[in-house]
Amino acid sequence: MPATNTIDGHTFAINEEGFFTQRDDWNEELAGILAELIGVEMTDAHWKALRFMRDDQATTGVTPTLRRMQTVGGFDVKELYRLFPGKPAKKMSYLAGLPKPIGCV
Amino acid sequence: MTRLVILGAGTAGTMLANAVAKHHPTWSMTVVDADDQHVYQPGLLFLPFRGRPDRLVRSRKAQLNPRVDYVNSPITAIHPDQKRVDLGVGIIIDYELLVIATGSHPRPDLVEGLTDERIWRRRAHEFYSLEGAIALQRTLRTFSEGKLLVHIAEMPIKCPVAPLEFALLAEDHYRKRRLRHKVDITFATPLDGAFTRPVAKQTLGDLLVDRSIRVTTDVAVERIDPASQRLVAYDGRELPFDLLVTIPPHTGARVLEGTGLVDDVGFVRVDPHTLRSVVDPSVFAVGDATNVPTSKAGSVAHFQVEHLLENLAAVAEGREPTARFDGHANCFVESGRGQALLLDFSYDVEPLPGTYPLPGVGPMSLLKPTRLNHLGKLAFEPIYWNMLLPGRPLPVPTTLTLTGKRPVTGKD
Ligand SMILES: Cc1cc2nc3c(=O)[nH]c(=O)nc-3n(C[C@H](O)[C@H](O)[C@H](O)COP(=O)(O)OP(=O)(O)OC[C@H]3O[C@@H](n4cnc5c(N)ncnc54)[C@H](O)[C@@H]3O)c2cc1C
């Protein structure tokens, strides 16, 4: 069901799993707040990954997969796991205000 | 006279070529494939347990309408800017319209340690290729004790239910031999559940649990350690195995790399409805070779061909392609114990319980394991060779209908 979430005065549309449905609802301040909520402490390396994802999605229309982060973005997957422990693909797309990557049908 | 070239004479290329030969006999058409061995790929699921490999293979050329000009040669380069395809040994063919049907290919070389000679095709197997399925049959004959790890490396893969079916059939195999208590089966997936679509994920997930198959989710494989026989995940988890059956990452055909037509895993970027390349209006793709967001399956290729045929005719006559493929897929899921389930879905419609193809009557039951569905799966082989490939009419609609399906309301 379409729904919205409001945190610290930021309102954004989400899907049933909580992922953003409107990329323009996103801004870096909001990302910082969400990161705190899921226990990620943002550093330059974190921002670099999120910014790559936003730029890439803006041109391709789809959230990049981890493989694409590696082959196109030049990121080290292991490092991404360190930065966003557990489920990096999900955490990163959530914090970047993008849909969960598909590639999986 | 339209000059059409089809790359690949597998399931999709063969169906398309035969349809074109029938409906547009005046077109000039060339079909190219690297060899003359058409493998019935759904049979690879069963081969590790029983059966003779040669029974799954037929001549490619023999599946094609005799009017089709078939060239048996590897494709070595594609030049969309010059509308030209190079075959080895200096042969060049020109096209007006190109259809790419070169499939999706398992790439064990992309997983570090997997093809290490200490384990590859001995302790670490795949069954998505004929030689892989043959080697696994040999291993299963003697493997009677230990940890069996069934694993999907990465999505997308063709026939995304086959790994799950393999786990269920392996369970059956050892139960029948009264060895089930000695073989521990784990199903490890990069997804967050047993399948990609919500309702089916639940049903299939329950089935695994019922058969005491452990499910480990969100596994992103970093490498295989051949010495200790462990699968090491990026998040640090380590899954030990005595026998690994993995589905390696898939990519499109290597020859498409660098053509500008494909995404980063080598699948042709097409409009998901018209199947036309998003960068080159003379190029279309069909079957597993495309990047469309539905399952890579023979049934999908079958549903696509009808729409593609119409769109090629439109473009040949200078019109815009208007036939729209809706992502329709259906697959029988072999669930062991002589039963199977049937899934039916599209881009927009999730797999739902119900009956198929006739609402309320069936005879097939959707999303429920039955004996009849299993027979349906077995019946698919003669249907494949005798109906699908030659393009004889089938009483199955190519766009998804919602009649016969029940919306999901909590309990079934
Ligand atoms: C284990 C398993 C079980 C399956 N079960 C089912 C099932 O139950 N139901 C179902 O619907 N589907 C099933 N499938 C999937 C189905 O087999 C595929 O989706 C289908 O074959 C796709 O057809 P295609 O023509 O796109 O690709 P393919 O049939 O793979 O054909 C691609 C062709 O391109 C050729 N080619 C590639 N590169 C080159 C080159 N450089 N030069 C020359 N030729 C080239 C190849 O030789 C090949 O013949 C299964 C697949 C597997 C592996």
Side-chain angles (χ1 to χ4, degrees):
Chain A
M1 289 302 107
T4 56
N5 214 342
T6 304
I7 294 171
D8 283 3
H10 300 270
T11 299
F12 50 102
I14 53 169
N15 71 2
E16 58 280 4
E17 289 185 286
F19 287 93
F20 283 65
T21 53
Q22 305 289 334
R23 61 170 275 139
D24 296 336
D25 287 350
W26 183 92
N27 57 55
E28 296 208 350
E29 190 194 330
L30 176 55
I33 299 169
L34 295 176
E36 232 170 272
L37 288 179
I38 63 169
V40 172
E41 203 173 310
M42 297 296 289
T43 65
D44 285 352
H46 291 85
W47 287 116
K48 200 172 152 231
L50 298 192
R51 286 185 194 125
F52 169 79
M53 291 179 77
R54 298 235 0 135
D55 292 348
D56 192 59
Q57 200 263 357
T59 50
T60 64
V62 291
T63 309
T65 56
L66 284 179
R67 177 169 289 280
R68 186 171 169 87
M69 299 281 296
Q70 182 181 34
T71 53
V72 180
F75 293 91
D76 174 25
V77 178
K78 198 140 193 180
E79 172 74 1
L80 294 174
Y81 266 86
R82 199 185 58 71
L83 296 170
F84 303 91
K87 302 184 176 186
K90 273 189 196 165
K91 287 186 179 170
M92 289 191 300
S93 20
Y94 179 59
L95 295 179
L98 302 172
K100 188 165 85 171
I102 38 166
C104 11
V105 211
Chain B
M1 190 176 72
T2 303
R3 169 114 193 88
L4 170 70
V5 171
I6 300 175
L7 303 183
T11 312
T14 301
M15 286 191 293
L16 180 69
N18 289 336
V20 169
K22 183 163 154 198
H23 295 278
H24 303 286
T26 59
W27 291 10
S28 133
M29 174 171 53
T30 303
V31 181
V32 189
D33 202 301
D35 57 45
D36 193 35
Q37 302 233 301
H38 190 137
V39 176
Y40 175 66
Q41 296 180 40
L44 297 176
L45 170 65
F46 299 97
L47 191 58
F49 303 101
R50 58 181 173 270
R52 282 179 28 209
D54 54 328
R55 298 196 46 186
L56 300 179
V57 186
R58 297 192 186 182
S59 153
R60 281 190 201 287
K61 190 168 164 55
Q63 312 312 314
L64 290 162
N65 184 308
R67 279 204 296 270
V68 174
D69 170 29
Y70 177 65
V71 180
N72 197 168
S73 161
I75 303 147
T76 51
I78 302 167
H79 305 284
D81 48 329
Q82 299 161 48
K83 298 197 174 186
R84 214 186 78 194
V85 176
D86 294 353
L87 312 185
V89 299
I91 304 173
I92 290 170
I93 42 180
D94 298 301
Y95 61 82
E96 276 167 56
L97 286 175
L98 181 71
V99 176
I100 299 173
T102 43
S104 175
H105 305 276
R107 294 280 303 279
D109 57 306
L110 295 181
V111 179
E112 187 189 327
L114 177 58
T115 54
D116 187 288
E117 60 180 23
R118 282 171 285 177
I119 53 169
W120 182 235
R121 303 236 194 271
R122 290 207 277 252
R123 288 288 163 203
H125 285 269
E126 55 86 23
F127 62 93
Y128 269 48
S129 68
L130 187 62
E131 54 169 341
I134 293 169
L136 181 52
Q137 189 185 65
R138 206 179 309 123
T139 296
L140 281 183
R141 243 178 247 149
T142 54
F143 182 78
S144 56
E145 185 167 13
K147 289 187 166 57
L148 167 60
L149 181 60
V150 182
H151 167 248
I152 302 175
E154 210 173 274
M155 287 291 181
I157 56 172
K158 52 186 160 185
C159 199
V161 291
L164 224 138
E165 298 178 275
F166 180 85
L168 291 164
L169 289 174
E171 198 274 337
D172 237 27
H173 176 83
Y174 287 111
R175 192 177 44 86
K176 280 192 200 134
R177 280 160 189 71
R178 299 181 188 283
L179 292 168
R180 180 66 179 92
H181 61 290
K182 290 187 170 174
V183 179
D184 175 88
I185 308 176
T186 299
F187 181 75
T189 167
L191 302 175
D192 57 10
F195 192 58
T196 54
R197 304 291 195 110
V199 182
K201 173 159 102 184
Q202 184 69 42
T203 312
L204 299 174
D206 290 350
L207 203 57
L208 292 173
V209 172
D210 281 353
R211 308 273 163 90
S212 302
I213 296 170
R214 245 186 278 275
V215 181
T216 306
T217 58
D218 298 293
V219 177
V221 57
E222 184 197 343
R223 61 191 170 84
I224 306 294
D225 182 2
S228 68
Q229 300 198 10
R230 276 163 199 277
L231 183 154
V232 182
Y234 275 116
D235 59 9
R237 277 181 289 175
E238 295 194 355
L239 307 178
F241 61 83
D242 296 298
L243 172 57
L244 172 69
V245 177
T246 188
I247 318 305
H250 281 40
T251 69
R254 301 296 295 274
V255 66
L256 299 171
E257 284 172 16
T259 57
L261 299 169
V262 294
D263 66 13
D264 38 294
V265 267
F267 296 118
V268 184
R269 290 184 293 132
V270 293
D271 176 291
H273 299 290
T274 63
L275 305 177
R276 190 183 215 175
S277 158
V278 295
V279 293
D280 186 334
S282 312
V283 176
F284 288 77
V286 65
D288 293 351
T290 78
N291 73 338
V292 303
T294 190
S295 288
K296 294 190 184 299
S299 62
V300 172
H302 167 66
F303 298 136
Q304 286 176 342
V305 159
E306 207 163 292
H307 295 93
L308 180 56
L309 187 66
E310 222 175 298
N311 286 339
L312 291 173
V315 173
E317 291 163 15
R319 292 182 285 118
E320 277 304 298
T322 52
R324 289 172 65 82
F325 169 63
D326 67 350
H328 188 186
N330 63 34
C331 20
F332 286 105
V333 184
E334 193 64 26
S335 54
R337 326 248 151 132
Q339 298 187 320
L341 300 80
L342 180 58
L343 302 183
D344 196 54
F345 58 95
S346 74
Y347 292 145
D348 303 322
V349 180
E350 295 297 334
L352 295 174
T355 55
Y356 186 88
L358 300 178
V361 180
M364 308 297 181
S365 306
L366 295 166
L367 260 181
K368 210 168 88 190
T370 67
R371 173 87 186 147
L372 195 59
N373 287 342
H374 167 68
L375 297 177
K377 176 127 186 161
L378 297 185
F380 192 59
E381 181 164 0
I383 289 177
Y384 182 86
W385 296 114
N386 302 315
M387 312 276 283
L388 278 181
L389 293 185
R392 301 210 171 91
L394 264 185
V396 179
T398 55
T399 40
L400 183 72
T401 84
L402 266 183
T403 43
K405 297 192 177 179
R406 284 178 285 118
V408 180
T409 49
K411 270 258 156 290
D412 184 23

